[in-house]
Amino acid sequence: MKIGFIIPTKEEAAGVPAGCVAACGFGAGKSSNCAAAADLIFNRGCDTIVIWGTAGGLSPELQAGDVVVANRVAHKDFSLTPLPWARGLGDVPEFSEEDFWHTLDGALVEKLRMAARTVFPEHKVVIGPVCSGDIFDPAAARGNPIEAQAWAVDMETSAVAEFCHRLNTRCGMAIRFGTIRVISNNADTSNSNEAGDDFGAFLQRFAAMNARLVRLQELLESPNTVCVGL
């Protein structure tokens, strides 16, 4: 296994150490991060892609600094309506399942969870569903059927998951995909007083976590590593 991290923005990439295999700062959003995945796969020989970045929390159980490892992903703003075969918001033919979500590799999800708990023992680490999209309206979040089920929201995860899935199913590749997201604030609120840490201050905390990415990479790539904090 050769891990390649995607770190979407240059602000999120502060503090990433030399020796970490990462595509940094391609930019926020779906297209930019599919390009980052292509760079890691085709130019740098990675067979496992892991997005490492920030996300907004949608679960009331999550606080700033908590870590979410995605086990299911969905596009929260994709719709083929009014095409006659469209099933509804989030339905992506040949990608989403009957409930409009896409299930990630369970073995990789568990390995990401164990490694994250080992490397970041002071942080709460959970497994849960993550949705992605380009626009987020806090006031309408729970009216969106995909957002209503998600624990966290970002701008990249579902697109890169679909990109890797289509490489595997259409091009005969065997790329594994996962994502680890650190909650920066509670996204499901329009009240700025409830938004958690100031994002600038949060990014300083995130940079300190970046300093441990080489250790995270080592744990994920080694078949013999025993993770702690289970």
Side-chain angles (χ1 to χ4, degrees), residues 1-225:
M1 178 189 296
K2 182 176 180 180
I3 296 282
F5 291 106
I6 294 176
I7 305 175
T9 67
K10 64 180 182 180
E11 291 80 10
E12 290 170 300
V16 173
C20 178
V21 179
C24 301
F26 274 63
K30 300 172 183 175
S31 300
S32 298
N33 286 267
C34 288
D39 176 50
L40 291 170
I41 295 166
F42 296 110
N43 293 335
R44 304 171 74 175
C46 297
D47 57 19
T48 303
I49 305 301
V50 176
I51 298 182
W52 166 258
T54 63
L58 290 174
S59 168
E61 303 298 320
L62 297 175
Q63 306 295 325
D66 291 347
V67 178
V68 180
V69 177
N71 60 347
R72 306 175 79 212
V73 299
H75 295 290
K76 70 182 184 66
D77 56 359
F78 185 92
S79 176
L80 290 174
T81 306
L83 295 178
W85 58 85
R87 294 187 300 154
L89 185 69
D91 178 37
V92 182
E94 300 181 17
F95 176 66
S96 59
E97 297 153 14
E98 289 303 314
D99 60 355
F100 306 156
W101 288 77
H102 175 79
T103 302
L104 299 180
D105 181 332
L108 179 60
V109 168
E110 181 61 15
K111 190 164 189 176
L112 292 173
R113 181 189 74 88
M114 292 191 299
R117 293 194 69 175
T118 299
V119 176
F120 307 110
E122 72 277 24
H123 291 262
K124 176 181 178 181
V125 179
V126 299
I127 292 174
V130 173
C131 69
S132 307
D134 295 324
I135 299 173
F136 182 76
D137 180 358
R142 290 316 188 190
N144 180 305
I146 300 298
E147 290 172 354
Q149 300 176 60
W151 290 13
V153 58
D154 63 34
M155 298 179 68
E156 300 89 16
T157 290
S158 64
V160 180
E162 183 183 353
F163 177 77
C164 294
H165 173 74
R166 294 194 185 279
L167 284 179
N168 293 343
T169 58
R170 294 300 186 95
C171 303
M173 301 184 73
I175 306 301
R176 303 177 78 190
F177 171 78
T179 190
I180 307 173
R181 292 286 184 167
V182 183
I183 300 300
S184 60
N185 63 281
N186 178 4
D188 192 7
T189 178
S190 58
N191 184 343
S192 60
N193 293 326
E194 297 177 5
D197 290 358
D198 171 79
F199 193 65
F202 173 79
L203 284 175
Q204 295 181 27
R205 297 172 60 192
F206 191 72
M209 298 177 75
N210 283 343
R212 306 184 212 174
L213 282 182
V214 170
R215 177 58 177 153
L216 184 64
Q217 180 180 326
E218 290 171 348
L219 285 175
L220 292 173
E221 290 183 341
S222 173
N224 302 316
T225 299

